[in-house]
Amino acid sequence: MSLAVGCRARPGKARDNKTGSWRVFKPVFGKEKCTLCGLCMTLCPEGCVHETEEGFITPDYTYCKGCGICAQECPGEAIEMKQEEK
Amino acid sequence: MVDKTLELFDCGHRACGGCGAALAARLVTKAAGTNTIVVSATGCMEVFSTPYPETAWKVPWIHSLFENASAVASGVEASLKKQGRTEKVVIMAGDGATFDIGMICISGAFERGHDFTYICYDNEAYMNTGIQRSGATPYDASTTTSPAGKCSFGNKRPKKDIPQIIAAHGAPYVATASIAYPADLMQKVEKAINTVGPCYIQVHAPCCTGWGFEGEQTIAVAKLAIETGLWVNYEMVDGKVVKAKKVVRKPVEEYLKTQKRFRHLFKPTRQDAEIATIQAIADRNAEKYAIDIKLKKE
């Protein structure tokens, strides 16, 4: 690895770091109770919760650290934290 | 208009799960948009977002030292101005870099009147190096350099009122915000960026590791700080408070009980005198900013 002058890095290169491996509890999004309010998308510190093409909201498990903020703050209690099976 | 769907603070950063500062960075960059240059001071955010050769930022970003973020931003702004460019300069610094270490450079930059927005994410101690007290640490919080024990109830000094100090420099826009109210925070960032001159926003960003609570509680704790009156969300235009978030106040105990840094106030014995002192701080805040909602008596 050669050092660039001034320690430059490509924008968003942190994506190489797959933080999903940190997870102990996994947020499981229930489609029935979800009202698509989008609060989980706003409050996720990783910014990994997004809307799929089918119109459901789901986290990117490659990066989700399983902090549980989405489950805690969901007004419809549509998100459940489940122990990760590895 | 800024496209708020863009994620300019990307996945893969190494913040703890449930980090308040990471959420603050996400919301600030969302509100600031792509036409932005971010200058960071040393701190937890700088370390977890850019361990070389990685970076979570998708906007131009520069870091130099702990104390000189506002001096670097001054140079960046002056250069952009000379070149006739339109990029906005945003500084992201922690409370240590703002309240203590960077104070000289901040004072200079605000006095010179550069056109930038200074965002201080306030997690109330030096979290990156292991939770040492800073000028932002609240009264009676236990940190590694103000430990609670037989001889002490933790930090003996109240929190420094930096927004007032910045406003005294003649800053056109000074505000406080919280990650618990993301729409309000983003609106304030947009307002600051579109105001000519040096603007300052202090964002309350709870730190689950440093304060001692579960990561999922970050938003709940931030909300309780506002609901108890220990944190006030307000806006100052030209040195005058023009708006403050009103609440039906809860007793400070509800906020203190959620965090390990205040555990010594309840265990092994309840310290009523100390809790009353903290309640008095909240009462003073409520009076100063007139945040109490008066409920009609039935």
Side-chain angles (χ1 to χ4, degrees):
Chain A
M1 186 180 70
S2 62
L3 253 171
V5 177
C7 296
R8 286 168 300 172
R10 182 168 52 73
K13 185 148 192 320
R15 275 195 171 263
D16 291 358
N17 187 27
K18 310 267 188 284
T19 49
S21 63
W22 299 14
R23 201 169 52 240
V24 179
F25 290 95
K26 180 180 182 176
V28 179
F29 285 51
K31 285 168 191 165
E32 288 81 28
K33 285 185 182 172
C34 177
T35 58
L36 300 176
C37 71
L39 193 64
C40 48
M41 290 159 75
T42 310
L43 293 177
C44 175
E46 312 307 313
C48 72
V49 186
H50 59 274
E51 206 173 332
T52 59
E53 281 174 18
E54 293 88 46
F56 300 123
I57 292 180
T58 179
D60 184 344
Y61 291 114
T62 319
Y63 298 102
C64 169
K65 292 171 186 164
C67 69
I69 286 183
C70 51
Q72 181 73 25
E73 299 299 323
C74 178
E77 294 177 3
I79 306 166
E80 204 184 332
M81 298 302 288
K82 285 189 179 152
Q83 179 101 38
E84 191 76 39
E85 285 167 27
K86 277 179 182 159
Chain B
M1 263 312 271
V2 173
D3 181 4
K4 297 236 171 52
T5 58
L6 292 176
E7 293 291 345
L8 299 173
F9 188 77
D10 214 350
C11 300
H13 59 73
R14 290 159 192 249
C16 309
C19 176
L23 177 55
R26 247 194 85 217
L27 295 172
V28 167
T29 46
K30 250 180 197 295
T34 47
N35 197 30
T36 308
I37 295 176
V38 175
V39 180
S40 264
T42 307
C44 211
M45 186 184 288
E46 177 259 322
V47 170
F48 75 63
S49 67
T50 59
Y52 189 76
E54 290 169 8
T55 177
W57 302 85
K58 287 165 111 178
V59 288
W61 179 93
I62 180 171
H63 164 254
S64 172
L65 299 171
F66 214 138
E67 63 273 28
N68 68 354
S70 34
V72 171
S74 302
V76 172
E77 188 264 349
S79 168
L80 292 173
K81 201 165 143 191
K82 174 76 181 157
Q83 296 174 60
R85 285 164 62 169
T86 59
E87 286 97 324
K88 303 288 185 184
V89 181
V90 173
I91 303 169
M92 293 291 288
D95 55 283
T98 306
F99 285 58
D100 306 341
I101 299 175
M103 203 58 225
I104 296 172
C105 289
I106 291 169
S107 184
F110 275 84
E111 177 266 316
R112 290 189 301 271
H114 291 281
D115 185 11
F116 61 63
T117 302
Y118 193 110
I119 314 272
C120 167
Y121 67 96
D122 184 1
N123 50 23
E124 307 191 323
Y126 290 86
M127 296 314 183
N128 169 41
T129 45
I131 318 150
Q132 289 83 15
R133 82 171 281 278
S134 77
T137 307
Y139 182 74
D140 268 0
S142 180
T143 69
T144 49
T145 48
S146 64
K150 277 182 190 158
C151 308
S152 164
F153 289 113
N155 184 38
K156 285 181 181 144
R157 301 291 305 154
K159 198 180 175 88
K160 204 198 274 189
D161 194 354
I162 288 285
Q164 289 288 353
I165 295 172
I166 304 281
H169 283 75
Y173 183 76
V174 173
T176 55
S178 166
I179 55 158
Y181 297 89
D184 173 70
L185 165 59
M186 286 163 80
Q187 207 182 347
K188 281 170 176 167
V189 171
E190 255 185 294
K191 204 163 170 182
I193 281 177
N194 293 321
T195 304
V196 178
C199 300
Y200 177 80
I201 300 176
Q202 192 168 313
V203 184
H204 199 223
C207 168
C208 45
T209 310
W211 298 10
F213 58 84
E214 291 298 322
E216 69 203 29
Q217 298 295 331
T218 305
I219 308 294
V221 168
K223 216 169 245 174
L224 270 175
I226 294 209
E227 286 169 349
T228 53
L230 286 170
W231 182 269
V232 183
N233 265 0
Y234 63 86
E235 278 182 295
M236 273 199 275
V237 175
D238 295 325
K240 284 207 178 71
V241 178
V242 292
K243 212 164 114 190
K245 180 167 174 58
K246 290 189 190 296
V247 287
V248 178
R249 268 198 302 141
K250 292 178 175 170
V252 291
E253 260 186 79
E254 289 187 29
Y255 174 67
L256 303 177
K257 270 185 177 164
T258 56
Q259 302 159 50
K260 275 192 194 146
R261 61 177 179 161
F262 294 116
R263 186 172 48 185
H264 56 284
L265 301 178
F266 302 96
K267 282 178 187 169
T269 49
R270 203 186 139 88
Q271 305 295 336
D272 283 316
E274 293 300 314
I275 296 169
T277 313
I278 298 172
Q279 184 62 55
I281 295 172
D283 293 345
R284 267 203 304 279
N285 281 345
E287 199 186 343
K288 189 174 173 189
Y289 299 103
I291 58 167
D292 279 332
I293 294 174
K294 299 262 175 352
L295 292 173
K296 279 179 192 162
K297 278 177 190 159
E298 287 174 19

